[in-house]
Amino acid sequence: MFELPEYTILAKQINATLTGKTVQAGELGNSPHKFVWYNRTHEEFAQLVAGKVVGAARVQGRWLSIPLEPGYVLVLGECGGKILFHPAGAPLPVKYHLLTHFEDGSALSSTTQMWGAMELYEAGKEQERQYIKGMRPTPLDSRFTFDYFTGLIDELLLGEKRSAKSLLTQDQIIPGLGNSIAQDILFRAHIGPRRSLAEFTPGQRRDLYAAIVDTVQEVIAGGGRSDETDLFGQPGKYIRVMDSAAAGKPCPECGATVQKMQYLGGACYFCPKCQQ
Ligand SMILES: [Zn+2]
């Protein structure tokens, strides 16, 4: 799944590559499945996007908005899979969930592996969409300060019990993070996935805050994770420390065996010694 760093890279590449291009024809997928979320019929989509010009893309958490001017915004959200640019003359994917041809012969395709939104809104209406509306600050937001973060934990302590992994991956509490980057954030902060927020020391709050901000920046600097590809089909250069390849091998810091555990809807990889 694309997370905040991958979407940030995609938006940057779209702005350098697609902005100003005119849509010749757009179509929704030729291999739809029930986990692709559309809000338009094929006919509506084709009619509304034809002749529109690509504006400046922006990212909110795991939601990418690409203006189609005048008047519309294409929203790609919570996707895994591929969002690809195809130069004029390049082969196009056989199966896709969205394909947009531009007047210069180039194209943009989107294909999701699991689920994902591929929706078209009247400009501004996308801000009313569930999951975008009322989104909390992401780690790239200037409002995401340590004071904000520690206040967020205090607020969460008033509600249901939550663990460190829950804080990072559930309910968009910290929008843009997902199960992949969460593993490295927790390792860097030396905090176990099950550690209750109520048990955090002040130092652990500091460590986790720093690990979130630093890891997100590091993945962006690396052009995204190596297990995802960018707009040009190139894998990122950020190699995860704690992933399936690390399980059963020595921890890079202490040499203890990295463990795998199923917890909160996905596998966790962690060092039982470093991450208490
Ligand atoms: Zn260790």
Side-chain angles (χ1 to χ4, degrees):
M1 300 288 288
F2 296 132
E3 296 174 358
L4 180 60
E6 289 74 37
Y7 273 122
T8 301
I9 302 292
L10 285 166
K12 200 172 146 196
Q13 294 176 328
I14 285 169
N15 290 339
T17 310
L18 298 183
T19 305
K21 286 187 192 289
T22 302
V23 176
Q24 185 189 57
E27 50 180 309
L28 298 179
N30 63 0
S31 75
H33 58 79
K34 66 179 174 176
F35 297 116
V36 184
W37 309 321
Y38 294 128
N39 68 339
R40 302 281 181 179
T41 64
H42 288 257
E43 295 73 22
E44 262 182 333
F45 185 81
Q47 192 196 344
L48 290 173
V49 302
K52 300 292 193 295
V53 177
V54 179
R58 70 177 187 134
V59 174
Q60 293 165 280
R62 286 188 287 177
W63 294 82
L64 173 65
S65 297
I66 307 172
L68 295 178
E69 294 162 347
Y72 286 88
V73 176
L74 178 65
V75 171
L76 304 177
E78 301 203 341
C79 306
K82 309 240 183 258
I83 296 175
L84 291 172
F85 173 69
H86 310 281
L92 296 174
V94 177
K95 286 186 177 179
Y96 50 84
H97 298 127
L98 184 128
L99 181 63
T100 306
H101 298 274
F102 300 106
E103 283 186 346
D104 64 1
S106 64
L108 175 75
S109 70
S110 179
T111 312
T112 187
Q113 270 169 344
M114 294 172 74
W115 54 80
M118 307 205 185
E119 300 170 344
L120 186 72
Y121 289 92
E122 286 173 45
K125 292 272 172 65
E126 81 284 0
Q127 294 301 318
E128 298 297 310
R129 192 202 189 287
Q130 188 188 15
Y131 304 131
I132 295 179
K133 186 177 182 177
M135 189 184 286
R136 294 176 187 267
T138 79
L140 293 178
D141 194 313
S142 59
R143 295 174 294 165
F144 194 83
T145 60
F146 177 71
D147 282 349
Y148 165 78
F149 179 73
T150 199
L152 175 65
I153 292 177
D154 288 335
E155 180 193 323
L156 292 169
L157 290 178
L158 303 173
E160 61 185 287
K161 260 186 106 175
R162 283 191 186 272
S163 63
K165 180 176 173 183
S166 169
L167 171 69
L168 299 186
T169 62
Q170 292 193 308
D171 303 325
Q172 286 205 125
I173 297 168
I174 304 176
L177 304 183
N179 195 47
S180 295
I181 198 170
Q183 312 300 322
D184 282 11
I185 290 172
L186 290 172
F187 178 65
R188 193 185 283 232
H190 290 165
I191 292 174
R194 288 180 184 273
R195 170 69 53 195
S196 163
L197 298 192
E199 296 166 344
F200 278 14
T201 63
Q204 284 179 317
R205 290 190 184 201
R206 285 268 169 206
D207 291 347
L208 186 56
Y209 172 77
I212 292 168
V213 173
D214 292 351
T215 307
V216 167
Q217 293 293 354
E218 203 176 301
V219 182
I220 292 172
R225 304 196 314 269
S226 60
D227 52 359
E228 297 288 356
T229 55
D230 66 8
L231 191 66
F232 309 105
Q234 297 300 312
K237 292 188 177 65
Y238 179 87
I239 296 166
R240 289 168 61 192
V241 181
M242 286 290 158
D243 65 1
S244 55
K249 300 215 176 76
C251 163
E253 281 193 24
C254 75
T257 303
V258 172
Q259 309 283 310
K260 177 184 182 181
M261 145 179 98
Q262 289 296 330
Y263 174 53
L264 293 182
C268 290
Y269 304 96
F270 64 102
C271 171
K273 205 167 154 198
C274 293
Q275 294 175 255
Q276 297 289 322

